[in-house]
Amino acid sequence: MKTLLSLKLWLAVCLFAVSTVSSAGIIWESTDGDSNFISFGSSSFPFTSSDTFGIFSATADLAIDAPVYTFNGVGTFASASPFKLGLLTASGWVSEAGNYELGAPNTFLLTFVKPGVVTSNLSFLFGFDLKAAANQNPVTSVPLPASVWFMTSALMGFLYTGRRKAAVQA
């Protein structure tokens, strides 16, 4: 019985974690008035890449809005306003897929994935003098996929079936 209770608690925690996930890019802000960037592709390291990166306003939708500033390889953006970063791909602008704070303060490695590309599909952007903005309200919310709801109902069904068999055998 304790196992069943802990399994239900674990399932509830997992559902909460999945329901709070969003695919929207992080909103960044400068720590000293200007942020500096250096880009590398997965096949161009240690040389700068020719990928085009863009800086958008914090409320921009990368699918329809134009960037405020674009750069290739190396760029500097001076602004006190929060902003989003994007990579120009064949299918349009995409936001970062992940970020990692490096050992130096206010320094991040941002990863972008080019959709539809099989090889050399990663682009890396080192950002200096930036931090995640305090207000991270995404512009659009991402709905929970139907697969999560179907998997949840299936797991609940298995839990109920297992409980009913245990009650019949006793």
Side-chain angles (χ1 to χ4, degrees):
M1 191 67 169
K2 281 188 171 183
T3 304
L4 186 62
L5 186 61
S6 63
L7 185 61
K8 285 181 181 180
L9 179 62
W10 176 82
L11 182 63
V13 168
C14 288
L15 284 174
F16 176 75
V18 169
S19 68
T20 58
V21 171
S22 172
S23 68
I26 290 182
I27 300 171
W28 299 97
E29 62 186 9
S30 177
T31 57
D32 66 353
D34 69 335
S35 298
N36 302 299
F37 303 97
I38 301 174
S39 66
F40 297 97
S42 55
S43 60
S44 69
F45 192 79
F47 303 106
T48 58
S49 72
S50 60
D51 293 328
T52 301
F53 290 90
I55 296 179
F56 296 81
S57 68
T59 58
D61 181 359
L62 272 59
I64 56 175
D65 293 331
V68 176
Y69 172 71
T70 59
F71 63 94
N72 299 81
V74 178
T76 298
F77 183 65
S79 175
S81 302
F83 56 89
K84 289 183 183 178
L85 293 163
L87 169 70
L88 183 61
T89 64
S91 58
W93 292 97
V94 295
S95 62
E96 69 265 12
N99 64 69
Y100 178 73
E101 187 171 9
L102 300 174
N106 303 319
T107 305
F108 288 85
L109 171 63
L110 303 143
T111 307
F112 295 83
V113 178
K114 299 174 188 172
V117 178
V118 178
T119 60
S120 299
N121 62 350
L122 292 177
S123 290
F124 303 101
L125 184 65
F126 288 96
F128 305 94
D129 300 326
L130 72 140
K131 65 178 181 176
N135 184 8
Q136 289 294 323
N137 294 330
V139 174
T140 58
S141 62
V142 178
L144 218 55
S147 59
V148 172
W149 296 114
F150 288 130
M151 181 60 90
T152 303
S153 63
L155 286 174
M156 295 304 283
F158 287 136
L159 289 174
Y160 178 75
T161 304
R163 183 176 178 192
R164 201 171 85 192
K165 282 183 182 179
V168 171
Q169 290 176 358

